[in-house]
Amino acid sequence: APSREMPVIIISIDTLRSDHLPVYGYRGVGTPNIDRLRAGSILFEHAYSHIPLTLPSHATIFTGRVPAASGVRDNLGFRLGPAVPTLAEALKSNGYATGAAVSAFVLRKESGIGRGFDFYEDQIDAENPGANIGRVQRSGYETAGIAEKWIAAHDRRPFFFFLHLYEPHTPYDPPEPFRSRYPSRYDGEIATADDIVGKFIAFLQREGIYDKALIILLSDHGEGLNDHGELEHGLLLYREALQVPLIVKLPRQSLSGRSVSDPVQLSDVFPTVTTLTGSKSAAVAGTSLLAIATTSNPPRQIYAETLYPKLHYGWSDLHSLIDRTKHYIHGPKPELYDMAADAAEKHNILGSDRRTVAAMRSAILPLIDANAAPSAVSPEEAKKLAALGYIGSAIAPASGPLADPKEKVGVTDDLRKVFSLYERAKYAEALPLLQKLVHDNDRMLDVWDMLARDLDQLGRTDEAIDAAKQALRLSPTTTHLALMVATMSLDIGRLDDAEKHASLALEAEPGLAHDVLARVALARGDLPRAEKEAHLALETRDRLFALLTLGNIEHERKNYSAALTWCDKAIEVLQRRKGTSVKGLYFLKGDTLARLGRNDEAEVALRKEIELFPRDPRAYQNLVLLYAAEGKSQDATQLVFDLEKNAHTAAAYAAIASTLRTLGDKEGVRFWIARGLQQFPQDAKLRKLATGASG
């Protein structure tokens, strides 16, 4: 019977294929904790996601609506609108305390996914505004610890908690002992997730919550693992990307051990929870899982889609229908699979089962809405975008039929190769591959994005900005691109351009936008506005760049003790998040310590900055000056050659020459300018320095 007293807990293990769990017959990994949970629960043998992407799939879980109805069709450029009721809102209006802790930046509250939660812990921040947001994450152990603390403080009243784990999402990097135990790192991450779940369930049992709780364990989508040429997910709609685990533990372990073979979908979670808690809700696409588990059900077809290939690569979108045994994939070259006889979907039976194809095609066509634009923008946002040339720009629509993603999936191998080169700092090797990719297809949003970052790392920031702007023309509401343009423009002193592009993100990403605007104001010397913008950035979460900006403001004011306090605050946040650093943090700390006369500590901080960012000249410059003041000429000389070796950019040679000029070494200035011009004969800054040196 419905009860508004039962605790409700949803555990989402991101990117978990059902056929990689022992409870679904897999033998490649051990998951003793999920096995024990299943023993007291209902197992849904054939549960499916409506979309193989994290944000839109969770939007479906929280709204009971398929992506076209929720309005969230991709991880980028879409937000859950306020008109769509959420599960957290329904439970909150029924007297529940509502809390959540997530492990991935893509589920940050600014996406709209956090609406209705009293507590939504998403203190995960990209270390730079141009970061690949799909990889910005934190350990599930940390997230589960946050969940336990909140639940312990709210278990005297009915509560709803959503716990999100990002294991086993890429990059697969399981900790020991799971890393050594399993040859597949994907399976090692599954074992890690199982360990986190086990510790969390043990906490619920100690607190006396477990027996009386409704606990739903699921995943948002699966993973390709190269079964059909796709390593990750989002591009294709085969079973490995859509079939997910779904385990429902009722209070007092009712119906424990039951298995349900009828197909179910993630939109069924919403009505399951609202029905069992007696919460009011609007009509949704799904059906209560308890009703499906306890009654006979009519035949059902489950719809799925992906617009990812269209939005990111200019290829065709895909749509599919799944029933008990058949899976029809609708695209430029349709496919039909008999999953009962061919679970791996290796044999397309389109030509031998025309009747099923015709019926499923007729059923799917009314469900397809492939022309969805990213989230609507306000008139003010539209005006800003138009003024900068991103709305109504001259990008011609694709001519002719769009390519079938399954025939282009090999391109993603090139992208993975490029991404690997980029992560290993082999930017020069990555560049020709990226240039070839955009030459072959100039509508590939992700490639323009990566090209911009790669060019920026090579010191070719003007070209990087042009590439990022091209990406922004393809997807004007993808705010991380606007922030990337803003940040790179700031780096080369184009402050007006930086301010305009940061302003594009104020509605969708206010924290990140205010963060950049604070640095723009600081660069202009407007310290009061910089301080105001930095504090606005900190209103949603501890943002490392905002803390660094406040440190720089106090440094400009020559209030060095306060600057040091902000540096230490930023470092404490980094350590809590188990992050590395942001560029300039240890540089600022080292410079501040040197000005306070604490030279030994300054050297340690500057060395740390060089270790983390070996291509940035600033820490080398300050440390050379520090060594020169202490008479350590040999150490200073070695640093100069280290900078040349590590950076090998025109900016590095210019920095060396400028530093030696400060030290009065005219011969050294001429030597290093000449050395730089041999490598970069057209660099304007080096040529200007050469003119000054000869004079």
Side-chain angles (χ1 to χ4, degrees):
S3 168
R4 60 186 300 273
E5 299 299 320
M6 70 173 72
V8 177
I9 298 165
I10 295 177
I11 303 171
S12 173
I13 304 177
D14 210 291
T15 323
L16 176 57
R17 284 174 60 151
S18 60
D19 63 357
H20 271 246
L21 285 179
V23 295
Y24 286 87
Y26 185 62
R27 294 293 173 261
V29 66
T31 56
N33 300 296
I34 293 175
D35 295 353
R36 280 192 289 271
L37 175 65
R38 184 275 175 272
S41 306
I42 308 168
L43 177 77
F44 292 87
E45 296 175 347
H46 302 104
Y48 299 98
S49 171
H50 296 285
I51 185 167
L53 293 165
T54 295
L55 178 61
S57 188
H58 283 94
T60 288
I61 293 166
F62 286 152
T63 66
R65 303 185 184 202
V66 297
S70 76
V72 183
R73 315 291 289 276
D74 189 22
N75 288 333
L76 300 174
F78 292 83
R79 300 193 296 274
L80 182 62
V84 183
T86 69
L87 182 59
E89 288 176 320
L91 289 168
K92 186 174 180 178
S93 66
N94 197 23
Y96 274 72
T98 55
V102 300
S103 296
F105 181 79
V106 73
L107 290 182
R108 65 207 179 282
K109 64 173 68 74
E110 287 89 346
S111 66
I113 204 77
R115 185 157 38 83
F117 286 100
D118 304 318
F119 171 82
Y120 193 89
E121 217 292 350
D122 61 347
Q123 287 279 345
I124 311 154
D125 207 5
E127 292 181 3
N128 66 79
N132 182 334
I133 67 168
R135 292 182 179 245
V136 180
Q137 59 184 286
R138 68 177 168 200
S139 165
Y141 289 103
E142 183 181 348
T143 308
I146 294 165
E148 292 176 13
K149 187 178 295 185
W150 186 89
I151 290 171
H154 293 82
D155 61 358
R156 295 183 181 178
R157 59 179 286 198
F159 70 85
F160 163 48
F161 199 89
F162 169 63
L163 171 61
H164 171 256
L165 309 178
Y166 216 41
E167 296 87 358
H169 196 284
T170 51
Y172 312 135
D173 188 24
E176 295 294 357
F178 308 113
R179 187 183 188 91
S180 299
R181 188 175 297 170
Y182 298 104
S184 162
R185 290 195 177 180
Y186 178 76
D187 287 346
E189 289 233 329
I190 292 173
T192 305
D194 178 77
D195 189 55
I196 298 166
V197 168
K199 289 176 168 59
F200 180 64
I201 288 176
F203 157 78
L204 296 176
Q205 291 170 331
R206 290 194 305 271
E207 294 290 311
I209 296 169
Y210 183 81
D211 283 343
K212 59 186 179 182
L214 167 65
I215 300 175
I216 301 176
L217 184 142
L218 49 74
S219 182
D220 54 345
H221 55 75
E223 188 76 316
L225 299 181
N226 276 327
D227 284 6
H228 289 88
E230 181 181 22
L231 178 62
E232 297 183 28
H233 54 271
L235 197 65
L236 304 176
L237 289 182
Y238 296 107
R239 186 195 57 77
E240 62 266 14
L242 296 178
Q243 189 168 348
V244 294
L246 180 58
I247 297 171
V248 177
K249 190 206 78 69
L250 298 170
R252 294 172 298 282
Q253 290 68 268
S254 297
L255 305 180
S256 62
R258 181 168 298 195
S259 296
V260 177
S261 61
D262 289 346
V264 297
Q265 56 195 15
L266 288 181
S267 57
D268 294 335
V269 172
F270 183 102
T272 303
V273 175
T274 54
T275 299
L276 286 171
T277 58
S279 301
K280 295 180 180 179
S281 68
V284 294
T287 302
S288 169
L289 292 165
L290 185 59
I292 294 171
T294 55
T295 60
S296 59
N297 302 286
R300 189 184 203 194
Q301 292 180 322
I302 293 171
Y303 171 78
E305 68 171 41
T306 179
L307 273 61
Y308 182 87
K310 184 176 183 179
L311 295 171
H312 290 255
Y313 300 108
W315 303 333
S316 176
D317 45 286
L318 295 175
H319 308 262
S320 83
L321 277 185
I322 292 176
D323 61 19
R324 281 180 176 270
T325 60
K326 300 293 174 62
H327 184 194
Y328 171 69
I329 302 175
H330 186 77
K333 294 186 177 179
E335 300 163 81
L336 180 69
Y337 295 96
D338 183 346
M339 295 188 298
D342 176 24
E345 296 184 325
K346 298 297 185 183
H347 306 290
N348 182 5
I349 60 169
L350 188 85
S352 60
D353 195 349
R354 297 288 186 182
R355 182 174 296 179
T356 299
V357 171
M360 296 187 90
R361 180 184 286 129
S362 296
I364 201 172
L365 289 177
L367 304 176
I368 294 175
D369 175 10
N371 297 313
S375 299
V377 297
S378 68
E380 182 62 28
E381 283 180 300
K383 183 187 288 187
K384 291 177 183 176
L385 286 163
L388 291 169
Y390 297 119
I391 287 184
S393 58
I395 293 183
S399 59
L402 299 179
D404 194 312
K406 65 176 174 287
E407 296 185 342
K408 293 287 187 177
V409 72
V411 174
T412 62
D413 292 333
D414 294 334
L415 281 172
R416 282 198 297 274
K417 182 178 180 181
V418 165
F419 194 84
S420 174
L421 289 169
Y422 182 88
E423 287 195 320
R424 289 181 284 140
K426 295 188 175 183
Y427 310 116
E429 288 184 47
L431 182 59
L433 295 175
L434 286 163
Q435 291 171 327
K436 181 181 183 303
L437 285 167
V438 295
H439 177 268
D440 293 345
N441 179 0
D442 64 359
R443 304 188 67 81
M444 297 179 73
L445 177 69
D446 290 8
V447 179
W448 284 112
D449 182 333
M450 178 63 73
L451 177 61
R453 285 187 270 161
D454 194 70
L455 286 165
D456 188 43
Q457 291 290 347
L458 289 169
R460 297 164 62 173
T461 307
D462 288 337
E463 297 168 78
I465 291 171
D466 289 342
K469 285 183 175 181
Q470 180 67 9
L472 198 53
R473 291 185 190 98
L474 288 169
S475 183
T477 60
T478 301
T479 50
H480 89 275
L481 293 168
L483 290 165
M484 186 189 298
V485 173
T487 303
M488 292 189 295
S489 298
L490 174 61
D491 287 344
I492 60 173
R494 296 182 186 174
L495 302 185
D496 289 348
D497 216 19
E499 182 175 24
K500 289 173 184 176
H501 282 84
S503 296
L504 293 177
L506 276 170
E507 285 194 33
E509 297 285 356
L512 289 172
H514 285 299
D515 189 355
V516 177
L517 289 170
R519 284 180 276 152
V520 171
L522 178 62
R524 286 174 171 154
D526 187 348
L527 300 188
R529 185 181 174 194
E531 189 170 31
K532 178 183 177 182
E533 295 284 357
H535 282 292
L536 286 170
L538 291 171
E539 285 185 357
T540 53
R541 59 174 65 85
D542 288 329
R543 296 189 182 277
L544 293 166
F545 271 113
L547 296 170
L548 178 57
T549 298
L550 289 166
N552 276 307
I553 290 168
E554 297 301 340
H555 187 278
E556 287 293 311
R557 291 170 173 163
K558 296 183 170 53
N559 189 354
Y560 298 123
S561 59
L564 200 57
T565 298
W566 285 114
C567 288
D568 289 339
K569 168 73 171 171
I571 291 168
E572 185 271 325
V573 171
L574 269 173
Q575 291 171 341
R576 188 171 71 239
R577 295 180 184 168
K578 298 178 175 59
T580 52
S581 188
V582 294
K583 186 185 290 187
L585 174 55
Y586 284 98
F587 166 77
L588 176 62
K589 182 171 182 177
D591 186 84
T592 303
L593 287 165
R595 292 173 189 274
L596 290 170
R598 296 160 61 177
N599 288 5
D600 289 346
E601 295 170 85
E603 180 182 352
V604 171
L606 292 170
R607 284 284 182 188
K608 182 72 171 177
E609 181 77 13
I610 290 169
E611 175 192 338
L612 293 167
F613 302 99
R615 296 170 57 82
D616 188 349
R618 294 177 301 167
Y620 293 90
Q621 289 179 282
N622 277 29
L623 194 50
V624 166
L625 294 172
L626 183 66
Y627 283 154
E630 294 176 340
K632 299 178 179 178
S633 57
Q634 188 172 348
D635 290 335
T637 301
Q638 182 60 51
L639 266 181
V640 169
F641 284 101
D642 287 347
L643 174 55
E644 181 189 37
K645 176 184 175 183
N646 292 330
H648 197 67
T649 61
Y653 286 106
I656 293 169
S658 297
T659 305
L660 295 177
R661 175 176 288 174
T662 301
L663 293 172
D665 184 356
K666 293 181 180 180
E667 184 178 342
V669 171
R670 286 192 290 269
F671 172 82
W672 283 101
I673 290 174
R675 195 174 175 102
L677 285 171
Q678 287 178 348
Q679 304 293 323
F680 306 98
Q682 302 304 317
D683 184 75
K685 189 169 185 179
L686 282 172
R687 292 166 70 90
K688 185 177 180 180
L689 283 168
T691 303
S694 62

